[in-house]
Amino acid sequence: VVAFVRVVDGRFETREALRAMAQGTRFEAEELGFLSPERRPVKVLEAGEVGYVITGLKDVSKLRVGDTLTSEKGPAAEPLPGYKDVKPMVFAGLFPTDSDEYPELRDALERLKLNDAALFYEPETSQALGFGFRCGFLGLLHMEIVRERLEREFDLDLLVTAPNVAYRVQERPGGDWVEVHNPAEMPRELEAVEEPYIKASVIVPKEYVGQVMELCNDRRGRFDHLEYLSEERVHLTYELPLGEIVLDFFDQLKSRTRGYASFDYDLAGFREGTLVRVDVLVAGEPVDALSLIIHREFAYERGKLLVERLRKEIPRQFFDVPIQAAIGARVIARETVKAKRKDVLAKCYGGDISRKRKLLEKQKKGKKRMKQVGGVEVPQEAFLAVLNLESDR
């Protein structure tokens, strides 16, 4: 690992023992120097100089951008101000479309991590999608960049689940708060749940104020204040749930203001919310990759939209396939993919009705037996339906 540094006070010498104050990583400065533009080694870096330090570390995650380096012999009393530890805000599952490519995906993420310290990942198993990784990103743009790099640089064909944010859950009164990154991990019975909020700042021409306020209210926003910066420009401040802006809020904002709005936000901490986990059952079996964490007020509407979209995406079988959205044991929406039906009466031109009934009963028993042993394969397009739900709101 080569660290680029600016010396604020004191001096560094070659082979001097150094320490990163935020991470606590200790190492020896193997080489010091300047970039001009090639590396030019020197013995000493003095205060006010900008250069590089070859640390000898093999793991890039042990040294973070913005950290303060200090000498072990005469350490600084406190680190320089302004450093914040990078924390992933958006989580999504990355799964190879071919399960045999799992080792290639693991190696690709390891190599990507070397020059992207903000990327977080851990192994994840899904009943529907097989083996993959639950990855943490700084935002949606970061997620798109990582996905594009994996597909282009490493020639991987990936399926990305719907992005979601981290929630804090308390299972029983007085219990510990647990952070949940995956809807499938959220317990069905819980005491309280908190979601992250942001303080959003929107600067917009005055003629679009109504559209922006309507959008923020639709996303469960809390109005803070409105200020006129000039005769034409208005500054709006809202508090919004991070989960409501993570998919397409910025696109909707630009669309409603013809591209004139500017949007910025800061994290405002966690707030308690009325959130529920909506599970999707296909032929009576839960599909964990399609689960959602959503506000109870919108659960029925989103569940109905999702099962309607899935009905169009899941191919027909030789038996009826029920698709249900449920909160716990209560089903809130249902659609049915109708069965393919062979015309068993095609050769019966006449004769007694009992003969036709016998053939229909035989077909009915066969379909019942097929339903008991048959499985339904959920196609990739069905998982993309979760991402496209926002366009129907």
Side-chain angles (χ1 to χ4, degrees):
V1 177
V2 179
F4 300 120
V5 297
R6 178 169 69 91
V7 183
V8 176
D9 191 21
R11 53 186 279 168
F12 286 159
E13 297 178 358
T14 308
R15 294 295 171 187
E16 185 176 358
L18 303 178
R19 175 167 56 90
M21 298 187 76
Q23 294 286 102
T25 307
R26 291 174 167 79
F27 57 89
E28 190 179 83
E30 294 184 358
E31 184 183 303
L32 306 174
F34 302 114
L35 293 167
S36 60
E38 301 293 327
R39 287 183 191 166
R40 185 161 56 86
V42 294
K43 298 278 186 191
V44 178
L45 281 177
E46 301 277 358
E49 293 179 336
V50 176
Y52 68 87
V53 180
I54 295 181
T55 63
L57 298 171
K58 303 297 182 188
D59 185 358
V60 73
S61 64
K62 292 186 177 178
L63 206 60
R64 294 296 178 94
V65 175
D67 205 346
T68 302
L69 300 183
T70 186
S71 172
E72 284 279 51
K73 287 190 294 184
E78 56 184 25
L80 294 168
Y83 172 75
K84 286 184 180 178
D85 198 14
V86 175
K87 188 179 180 186
M89 299 305 303
V90 177
F91 297 85
L94 289 179
F95 294 88
T97 52
D98 182 359
S99 56
D100 293 337
E101 291 184 350
Y102 175 78
E104 286 86 345
L105 175 59
R106 183 187 59 224
D107 296 341
L109 285 170
E110 285 176 2
R111 290 170 64 184
L112 210 58
K113 176 84 174 169
L114 289 174
N115 56 17
D116 188 353
L119 177 64
F120 159 83
Y121 66 92
E122 60 183 7
E124 181 183 36
T125 307
S126 165
Q127 293 176 0
L129 301 175
F131 292 100
F133 291 92
R134 170 66 40 173
C135 299
F137 309 96
L138 298 179
L140 280 187
L141 178 62
H142 187 209
M143 184 184 87
E144 284 298 314
I145 290 168
V146 169
R147 186 181 64 81
E148 282 289 327
R149 288 190 65 185
L150 288 170
E151 290 181 347
R152 290 185 183 184
E153 296 177 24
F154 301 98
D155 196 27
L156 292 169
D157 194 9
L158 297 175
L159 179 66
V160 184
T161 61
N164 59 278
V165 299
Y167 298 92
R168 291 173 55 190
V169 174
Q170 188 182 42
E171 290 194 54
R172 53 186 176 277
D176 294 333
W177 289 92
V178 180
E179 201 165 276
V180 174
H181 300 153
N182 188 349
E185 295 173 359
M186 177 171 274
R188 289 185 174 84
E189 299 294 329
L190 47 87
E191 179 65 24
V193 59
E194 292 183 342
E195 60 180 330
Y197 267 73
I198 59 157
K199 190 160 189 178
S201 172
V202 182
I203 297 173
V204 65
K206 65 179 183 181
E207 58 265 28
Y208 300 115
V209 169
Q211 290 96 311
V212 173
M213 293 182 80
E214 182 186 10
L215 175 63
C216 292
N217 290 334
D218 288 345
R219 301 302 173 94
R220 298 192 286 126
R222 299 175 186 172
F223 176 73
D224 190 1
H225 77 270
L226 180 150
E227 177 187 358
Y228 274 83
L229 302 176
S230 68
E231 289 185 3
E232 298 296 326
R233 292 165 69 234
V234 178
H235 180 207
L236 283 165
T237 307
Y238 267 86
E239 286 188 352
L240 288 157
L242 181 59
E244 291 287 341
I245 70 160
V246 80
L247 273 178
D248 72 333
F249 180 84
F250 190 66
D251 294 338
Q252 288 285 333
L253 182 67
K254 288 292 184 185
S255 174
R256 295 188 187 203
T257 61
R258 298 186 182 179
Y260 285 109
S262 62
F263 174 65
D264 191 20
Y265 68 88
D266 289 308
L267 287 173
F270 282 81
R271 309 269 171 83
E272 194 165 328
T274 314
L275 300 169
V276 292
R277 169 181 159 184
V278 177
D279 291 315
V280 175
L281 291 84
V282 177
E285 293 294 325
V287 182
D288 51 3
L290 292 174
S291 297
L292 301 168
I293 296 175
I294 193 167
H295 196 272
R296 186 178 286 276
E297 186 181 334
F298 305 120
Y300 171 72
E301 177 193 344
R302 293 288 295 280
K304 193 170 186 300
L305 274 174
L306 182 55
V307 295
E308 284 175 0
R309 184 67 63 87
L310 289 173
R311 181 177 61 81
K312 298 173 185 175
E313 301 293 350
I314 292 174
R316 293 173 69 190
Q317 310 293 319
F318 284 103
F319 51 89
D320 284 353
V321 179
I323 304 168
Q324 299 165 307
I327 300 173
R330 187 167 67 90
V331 175
I332 59 171
R334 172 183 167 132
E335 290 285 339
T336 304
V337 179
K338 289 297 181 184
K340 291 179 183 176
R341 188 170 178 273
K342 183 181 177 183
D343 189 1
V344 292
L345 304 180
K347 294 180 182 179
C348 293
Y349 294 107
D352 188 52
I353 187 66
S354 60
R355 185 174 168 222
K356 295 180 180 178
R357 191 176 294 123
K358 183 180 177 183
L359 289 169
L360 290 170
E361 287 295 327
K362 188 177 177 183
Q363 184 188 44
K364 188 176 178 181
K365 286 179 183 176
K367 284 185 180 292
K368 187 177 179 182
R369 188 165 58 249
M370 192 184 297
K371 193 172 183 179
Q372 288 172 349
V373 298
V376 180
E377 187 174 338
V378 182
Q380 291 180 31
E381 291 78 13
F383 298 100
L384 299 177
V386 183
L387 296 172
N388 297 331
L389 277 181
E390 295 296 324
S391 61
D392 295 337
R393 288 181 68 172

